[in-house]
């Protein structure tokens, strides 16, 4: 069933290889990954199981829109954390590029390098632009059990803001104590 990209709570479409391809939909198990945070440290999605996770795929560290988007998320990070959520930025930039960007912009969340094989994680999430060789500007909220709860595709030149993420976090089921 085709889904229109009107409501940020719907699954969005992405343009990949001469036609639309869907981001992974809500209810899908989020593919695990292990990527570099720094040249000598890695982080895997499975390490964050039990917490909501926000994946923010973005095209490139030094582009103006990406810089603004990551700066906004840095400012909104206390709100994300109020919901117990961890934020991860992912692009195809290398770990050294992320390190330089982090020294300049001071994000308080990890930026992961989907560098080699280039875009492998973005491809598995349906968030890769094959024509340009970069990630889409795509957002995912993953629930505590590791399933995609919400996904959104923003036009490449538009900062998607944080409202959709915050709305999704508000709708996540509250953690039940054992």
């Amino acid at each position: 069933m085709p889904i229109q990209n009107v409501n940020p709570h719907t699954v969005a479409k992405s343009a990949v290889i001469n036609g639309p391809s869907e981001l992974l939909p809500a209810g899908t198990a989020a593919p695990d990954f292990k990527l570099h945070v720094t040249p000598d440290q890695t982080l895997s999605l499975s390490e964050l199981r039990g917490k909501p996770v926000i994946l923010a795929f973005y095209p490139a560290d030094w582009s103006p829109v990406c810089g603004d988007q990551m700066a906004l998320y840095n400012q909104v990070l206390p709100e994300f954390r109020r919901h117990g959520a961890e934020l991860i930025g992912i692009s195809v930039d290398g770990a050294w590029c992320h390190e330089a960007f982090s020294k300049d912009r001071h994000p308080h969340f990890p930026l992961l390098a989907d560098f080699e094989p280039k875009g492998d994680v973005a491809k598995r999430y349906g968030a890769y632009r094959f024509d340009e060789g970069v990630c889409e500007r795509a957002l995912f909220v993953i629930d505590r059990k590791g399933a995609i709860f919400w996904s959104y595709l923003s036009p490449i030149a538009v900062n998607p803001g944080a409202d959709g993420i915050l709305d999704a976090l508000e709708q996540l089921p509250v953690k039940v104590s054992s």
Side-chain angles (χ1 to χ4, degrees), residues 90-108:
I90 301 176
S91 79
V92 297
D93 292 313
W96 293 107
C97 186
H98 283 328
E99 189 170 291
F101 185 75
S102 293
K103 283 181 181 176
D104 186 68
R105 304 296 173 93
H106 310 290
H108 296 121

Side-chain angles (χ1 to χ4, degrees), residues 16-70:
V16 180
I17 310 182
N18 302 323
S21 174
E22 290 186 24
L23 296 178
L24 290 181
T28 303
D32 195 17
F33 55 80
K34 183 177 183 178
L35 295 172
H36 281 272
V37 179
T38 66
D40 62 348
Q41 295 178 330
T42 59
L43 177 67
S44 66
L45 181 60
S46 59
E47 291 175 57
L48 302 173
R49 183 68 56 91
K51 299 178 181 185
V53 177
I54 303 156
L55 299 182
F57 287 92
Y58 64 101
D61 284 337
W62 298 99
S63 79
V65 177
C66 296
D68 290 348
Q69 181 184 6
M70 296 303 111

Side-chain angles (χ1 to χ4, degrees), residues 122-153:
K123 291 171 189 169
R124 289 191 275 146
Y125 279 80
Y128 189 74
R129 294 176 72 94
F130 285 84
D131 291 345
E132 291 91 1
V134 298
C135 295
E136 291 280 4
R137 194 173 306 283
L139 303 171
F140 293 86
V141 171
I142 299 168
D143 69 18
R144 290 170 179 85
K145 294 179 182 177
I148 296 171
F149 181 78
W150 174 83
S151 60
Y152 178 73
L153 178 70

